[in-house]
Amino acid sequence: MSNTATDALDAPAYELTALDRCDSCGAQAYIRVELGSGELLFCAHHGKKYQDKLEGVARSWHDESSKLLEDTRS
């Protein structure tokens, strides 16, 4: 059973859109990393590439790369 109040608190303030671009290559961003000094946006490839290095310093890690699988299931 789902706790709606808790789910609302865990939900991101916004969803990434096609206008959000990867800071490394310019592809559509699916991962948003919040750091103390700002944020970084990554495509799925670059997000996975830098995940190990950034996990220790990231305030939050928002990953919407599962959207890539939704397109192939349709």
Side-chain angles (χ1 to χ4, degrees):
M1 185 159 119
S2 176
N3 182 340
T4 307
T6 303
D7 292 343
L9 293 174
D10 292 338
Y14 69 94
E15 290 188 29
L16 295 168
T17 70
L19 298 176
D20 294 308
R21 310 312 289 179
C22 176
D23 290 327
S24 290
C25 69
Q28 183 173 347
Y30 289 95
I31 298 172
R32 178 181 176 265
V33 182
E34 184 182 351
L35 303 168
S37 58
E39 71 176 19
L40 293 171
L41 299 177
F42 293 113
C43 63
H45 165 77
H46 284 111
K48 299 297 181 209
K49 180 177 179 179
Y50 298 120
Q51 185 172 7
D52 289 341
K53 293 179 181 179
L54 292 172
E55 278 185 331
V57 295
R59 288 185 176 177
S60 68
W61 187 276
H62 177 72
D63 187 341
E64 295 181 10
S65 59
S66 62
K67 289 182 177 179
L68 292 166
L69 297 176
E70 290 174 6
D71 293 340
T72 62
R73 293 181 189 155
S74 300

